[in-house]
RNA sequence: AGGGGCGUGGUGCAAUGGCAGCACACCGGACUUUGAAUCCGUUAAUCUUGGUUCGAAUCCAGGCGCCCCUGCCA
């Protein structure tokens, strides 16, 4: 077992800087060998693939070290939070394959304790009630280069602050009338240390505590306490909280309580997409996408609906790595990861997306042959087969025929021979067009000797086409997705414009009247297929129904022919 | 301008004083009943200047560049 583990690929054994810190802590006995992380989302929106990186990191570390990872909702701001999100977040994390067991916590569970801690700080002379308005406070704060000035209420007596804070809790004051502030240093070059607010007044009912509270703790005060109460060892967060760390430490030190360590890493960025709640909302509200779970969105619900598997997302998070560099991951890596998995797991089927009828004149009318074809033809060790019916009239992909083919086009053209995968060789004899000159039908002849797709004379036929029997094929809808934005970084918009100017107008292509193998009628929601020569597809969880199937393209196959044409 | 971070091929991540490596992307070839997959190969990087050292991506000093910080958001 240990030998097996040590022999896994470099990719898995390489340690990121956080695991290196944990190794050192374990070696020094800093936390008695305990490893306890947490994933602390605020329930104010849907999770996206950037969160997945953090989830995989936190839960993954717990798994690797035989430790624990809590799920904790950081619900300290009732004006933005909702139970709708606490549910979707749990669903997404479970889908990703992680389990917090009985350790589902809420920051709001600790409100009473936090209040007590705040009182302690006041008694210690480390916090005071401030009557400055928001605007005044901003003026007093100074700027990045100018020191701030002390609040006139800073030297208020402990007794008065205690009394005022109690009355804040009792609801005697209006929103914004007063705050509780830490007494640190208004001249600190670190803005977070300029007497930051600990509690604000918010007469707002909370999804968890209802109307019990009208004062709510701020993130910096609350987060460390939450970590401390839960016995977290390594509190992992993103880079922008680096400046907050001295404050995280200050609160815990002043309170004299158990003190986890905060470690920051770089959040995930992906090119050709956006990754912020605000921008997702705009995309949904302005109708650029069909909802939070639109398969073009990088929300976890969108990605899931698109057909990405949770194992591929976990693999992706692993390949992306963990570091402190601001980085932008190429969407191609995400696509590679899902292709890589589906190539191994998705059975192949034939689906004609843009049908062109082919009539095989010398094939007997009414005859039906059932051909047995491999589900995993690239893998000789797997002998799983299915049968597909073959008849005189079939559909092929319209783009697989060209009347005047360029060089190196080895598909069908007048007088040219191709192989129908698993069936026969055919030669195009006649092209039928409508009055506008569009090709509407092909007449071909077949070689009975080539049954199964090979001929006794061993002649080479380079082109191999997928096909479906016209009489047996199943009509379905297919949705093809492309990148949502045309540029690598949609966040950079020209003056006076926003990121939506970069939207790809062709990010969704809906194809109706696609013809697929009849066996697909039994497809289940969790099934994944490779539509041969097209890509990987799954049923759309939102719109597909028995009888009117809708398939989503998760990702296309690599297409070097398309590249050559450019 | 103050503070906090970060600089390794095109993009990411390793190398923790000792041969700069892996993945994706790219390009080329082989094979192919998927123009897929697979296999083989090519190209390509230590921000800069100085110092320490037998030896520096790594240590030291200066410079440059990028990111974050002035919510009663998290």
């Amino acid at each position: 077992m240990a030998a097996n583990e040590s022999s896994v690929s470099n990719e898995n054994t390489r340690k990121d800087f956080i695991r290196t810190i944990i190794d050192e802590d374990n070696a020094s006995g800093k936390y008695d060998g305990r490893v306890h992380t947490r994933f602390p989302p605020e329930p104010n929106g849907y999770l996206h693939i950037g969160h997945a990186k953090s989830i995989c990191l936190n839960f993954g570390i717990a798994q690797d070290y035989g430790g624990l990872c809590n799920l904790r909702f950081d619900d300290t701001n009732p004006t933005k939070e909702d139970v709708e999100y606490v549910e979707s977040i749990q669903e997404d994390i479970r889908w990703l394959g992680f389990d917090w067991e009985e350790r589902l916590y809420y920051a709001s569970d600790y409100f009473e304790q936090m209040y007590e801690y705040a009182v302690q700080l006041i008694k210690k002379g480390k916090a005071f009630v401030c009557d400055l308005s928001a605007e005044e406070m901003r003026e007093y704060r100074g700027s990045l280069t100018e020191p701030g000035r002390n609040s006139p209420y800073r030297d208020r007596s402990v007794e008065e602050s205690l009394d005022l804070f109690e009355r804040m809790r009792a609801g005697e004051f209006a929103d914004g009338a007063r705050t509780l502030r830490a007494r640190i240093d208004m001249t600190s070059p670190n803005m977070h240390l300029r007497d930051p607010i600990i509690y604000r007044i918010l007469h707002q009912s909370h999804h968890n505590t209802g109307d019990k509270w009208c004062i709510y703790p701020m993130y910096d005060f609350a987060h460390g306490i939450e970590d401390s109460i839960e016995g977290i060892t390594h509190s992992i967060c993103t880079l922008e909280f680096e400046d907050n760390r001295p404050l995280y430490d200050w609160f815990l030190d002043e309170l004299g309580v158990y003190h986890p360590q905060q470690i920051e890493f770089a959040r995930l960025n992906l090119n050709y997409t956006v990754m912020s709640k605000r921008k997702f909302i705009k995309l949904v509200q302005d109708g650029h996408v069909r909802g939070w779970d639109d398969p073009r969105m990088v929300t976890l619900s969108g990605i899931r609906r698109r057909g990405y598997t949770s194992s591929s997302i976990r693999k992706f998070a692993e390949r992306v790595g963990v570091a402190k560099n601001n980085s932008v991951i190429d969407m191609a890596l995400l696509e590679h990861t899902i292709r890589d998995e589906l190539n191994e797991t998705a059975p192949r089927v034939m689906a004609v997306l843009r049908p062109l009828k082919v009539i095989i004149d010398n094939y007997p009318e009414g005859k039906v042959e059932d051909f047995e074809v491999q589900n995993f033809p690239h893998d000789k060790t797997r002998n799983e087969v299915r049968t597909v019916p073959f008849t005189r009239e079939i559909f092929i992909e319209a783009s697989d025929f060209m009347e005047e083919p360029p060089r190196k086009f080895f598909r069908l053209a007048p007088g040219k021979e191709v192989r129908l995968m698993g069936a026969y060789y055919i030669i195009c004899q006649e092209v039928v067009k409508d009055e506008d000159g569009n090709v509407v039908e092909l007449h071909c002849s077949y070689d009975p000797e080539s049954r199964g797709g090979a001929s006794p004379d061993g002649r080479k036929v380079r082109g191999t086409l997928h096909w479906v029997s016209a009489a047996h094929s199943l009509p379905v809808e297919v949705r093809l997705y492309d990148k949502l934005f045309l540029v690598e970084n949609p966040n950079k918009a020209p003056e006076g414009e926003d990121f939506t100017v970069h939207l790809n107008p062709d990010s969704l292509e809906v194809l109706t009247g696609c013809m697929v193998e009849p066996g697909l009628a039994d497809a289940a929601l969790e099934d994944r297929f490779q539509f041969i020569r097209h890509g990987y597809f799954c049923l759309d969880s939102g719109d597909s129904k028995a009888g009117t199937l809708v398939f989503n393209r998760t990702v296309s196959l690599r297409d070097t022919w398309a590249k050559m044409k450019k």
Side-chain angles (χ1 to χ4, degrees):
Chain A
M1 175 82 185
N4 277 342
E5 271 177 28
S6 66
S7 69
V8 293
S9 71
N10 289 339
E11 192 175 14
N12 296 325
T13 53
R14 248 181 357 224
K15 284 224 162 86
D16 55 70
F17 80 99
I18 296 178
R19 279 173 238 252
T20 303
I21 291 172
I22 294 174
D23 284 344
E24 289 163 5
D25 290 345
N26 284 344
S28 72
K30 184 169 179 185
Y31 300 106
D32 303 320
R34 289 170 50 236
V35 175
H36 200 153
T37 55
R38 101 267 93 114
F39 176 64
E42 182 185 17
N44 69 344
Y46 292 88
L47 258 27
H48 54 66
I49 193 165
H51 294 112
K53 176 181 180 182
S54 176
I55 293 166
C56 291
L57 216 210
N58 280 294
F59 280 93
I61 282 174
Q63 277 172 5
D64 291 354
Y65 288 90
L68 300 170
C69 181
N70 298 352
L71 170 59
R72 179 173 70 226
F73 288 101
D74 205 359
D75 53 354
T76 57
N77 184 356
T79 64
K80 301 196 170 180
E81 297 150 8
D82 197 279
V83 280
E84 174 192 358
Y85 302 118
V86 339
E87 265 142 42
S88 76
I89 288 170
Q90 292 186 60
E91 183 188 346
D92 285 344
I93 300 173
R94 269 193 223 103
W95 173 74
L96 260 185
F98 296 106
D99 185 4
W100 52 90
E101 299 172 309
E102 76 290 352
R103 297 178 314 283
L104 168 62
Y105 301 123
Y106 294 83
S108 51
D109 293 340
Y110 313 135
F111 280 173
E112 193 63 50
Q113 175 72 262
M114 289 176 190
Y115 180 84
E116 290 307 317
Y117 280 146
V119 168
Q120 268 183 45
L121 287 181
I122 298 171
K123 287 181 175 166
K124 218 183 151 185
K126 297 293 182 179
F128 64 98
V129 171
C130 183
D131 300 357
L132 252 28
S133 69
E135 195 186 332
E136 289 167 324
M137 206 176 290
R138 199 177 316 122
E139 285 164 15
Y140 275 82
R141 190 155 32 228
S143 72
L144 293 179
T145 51
E146 311 283 330
R149 285 142 48 218
N150 285 349
S151 162
Y153 306 97
R154 195 174 201 261
D155 294 317
R156 178 122 80 182
S157 72
V158 167
E159 292 68 31
E160 190 181 3
S161 278
L162 240 25
D163 173 62
L164 254 14
F165 187 46
E166 204 171 296
R167 289 160 60 193
M168 278 169 63
R169 176 180 184 169
E172 285 189 32
F173 313 117
D175 288 5
R178 294 181 216 268
T179 56
L180 181 71
R181 293 226 260 164
R183 181 142 76 184
I184 308 181
D185 178 6
M186 287 307 290
T187 68
S188 173
N190 181 345
M191 301 297 287
H192 296 279
L193 263 22
R194 319 247 262 228
D195 291 6
I197 294 173
I198 299 177
Y199 269 91
R200 76 286 215 185
I201 299 171
L202 249 30
H203 289 269
Q204 172 83 223
S205 65
H206 185 280
H207 71 92
N208 217 17
T209 58
D211 294 319
K212 183 172 180 201
W213 295 89
C214 62
I215 57 172
Y216 292 92
M218 298 286 287
Y219 167 84
D220 288 300
F221 176 71
H223 204 88
I225 292 174
E226 295 156 24
D227 287 340
S228 180
I229 290 171
E230 294 175 19
I232 299 304
T233 55
H234 303 270
S235 178
I236 300 167
C237 62
T238 45
L239 249 30
E240 68 271 25
F241 289 100
E242 239 162 352
D243 290 341
N244 300 56
R245 191 174 61 224
L247 187 49
Y248 180 99
D249 292 335
W250 188 90
F251 282 124
L252 263 17
D253 288 341
E254 291 298 338
L255 258 14
V257 296
Y258 168 75
H259 193 153
Q261 70 175 310
Q262 174 178 308
I263 303 171
E264 310 85 9
F265 73 101
R267 64 168 66 238
L268 172 70
N269 295 294
L270 270 178
N271 60 12
Y272 295 105
T273 191
V274 292
M275 195 94 78
S276 85
K277 223 164 290 179
R278 213 201 94 246
K279 286 173 179 145
F280 289 149
I281 289 170
K282 184 164 176 65
L283 289 174
V284 173
Q285 284 183 346
D286 294 0
H288 299 299
V289 296
R290 298 178 174 187
W292 283 89
D293 65 345
D294 188 295
R296 291 167 291 181
M297 299 265 276
V298 291
T299 52
L300 290 182
S301 50
I303 281 173
R304 178 165 63 231
R305 184 169 175 182
R306 172 89 167 239
Y308 276 82
T309 60
S310 58
S311 56
S312 73
I313 300 301
R314 276 181 260 126
K315 188 76 182 170
F316 174 68
E318 201 177 291
R319 286 180 172 162
V320 154
V322 180
K324 297 190 75 159
N325 298 336
N326 286 310
S327 61
V328 183
I329 304 295
D330 196 334
M331 188 65 91
L333 182 63
L334 216 211
E335 296 184 342
H336 165 80
T337 309
I338 186 64
R339 278 194 198 106
D340 205 32
E341 176 180 313
L342 263 18
N343 179 45
E344 298 305 317
T345 58
R348 274 68 309 200
V349 295
M350 294 194 283
V352 176
L353 269 30
R354 297 171 181 85
L356 172 61
K357 178 166 284 184
V358 170
I359 299 160
I360 303 164
D361 293 316
N362 60 338
Y363 192 86
E365 217 161 324
K367 181 176 176 179
V368 180
E369 280 185 273
D370 282 324
F371 283 108
E372 217 172 56
V373 291
Q374 294 285 327
N375 289 342
F376 299 92
H378 65 296
D379 185 350
K380 301 294 177 247
T381 66
R382 287 173 84 159
N383 192 32
E384 294 171 42
V385 295
R386 67 189 187 286
T387 52
V388 286
F390 182 82
T391 56
R392 187 171 188 264
E393 295 194 3
I394 60 170
F395 292 117
I396 66 166
E397 207 65 57
S399 57
D400 280 342
F401 172 80
M402 281 187 94
E403 198 170 12
E404 291 167 13
R407 284 200 327 277
K408 286 193 162 177
F409 181 86
F410 39 85
R411 304 177 189 175
L412 198 56
K416 280 191 66 179
E417 184 171 45
V418 297
R419 169 172 35 239
L420 296 174
M421 188 179 286
Y424 291 107
Y425 294 172
I426 56 169
I427 295 177
C428 176
Q429 306 290 1
E430 189 195 341
V431 181
V432 180
K433 298 181 187 177
D434 63 17
E435 56 264 29
D436 298 325
N438 301 312
V439 177
V440 292
E441 201 173 273
L442 262 28
H443 285 268
C444 296
S445 60
Y446 85 114
D447 174 6
E449 294 294 306
S450 64
R451 208 189 120 91
S455 64
D457 66 6
R459 69 180 183 273
K460 288 270 183 279
V461 171
R462 183 77 194 269
T464 303
L465 310 186
H466 59 280
W467 53 273
V468 289
S469 162
H472 299 82
S473 58
L474 179 69
V476 301
E477 178 177 323
V478 169
R479 297 176 183 171
L480 304 180
Y481 302 102
D482 198 353
K483 33 179 71 92
L484 230 198
F485 293 93
L486 295 167
V487 299
E488 285 201 31
N489 182 5
N491 301 304
K492 280 193 182 145
E495 263 307 299
E497 303 276 10
D498 69 12
F499 70 102
T500 57
V501 298
H502 298 302
L503 244 6
N504 175 7
D506 303 316
S507 60
L508 168 64
E509 190 175 359
V510 178
L511 266 24
T512 54
C514 305
M515 296 297 189
V516 303
E517 286 183 21
L520 245 29
D522 304 322
L525 210 48
E526 57 279 4
D527 288 339
R528 301 288 185 280
F529 303 95
Q530 185 195 97
F531 287 4
I532 290 174
R533 301 210 295 143
H534 286 298
Y536 296 97
F537 293 76
C538 68
L539 251 23
D540 181 81
S541 58
D543 298 336
S544 191
K545 295 178 196 68
T548 49
L549 300 183
V550 178
F551 284 94
N552 288 328
R553 182 173 70 191
T554 306
V555 66
S556 66
L557 253 28
R558 286 183 63 218
D559 189 353
T560 47
W561 169 244
K563 266 181 209 165
M564 282 170 66
K565 287 192 289 190
K566 284 181 192 168

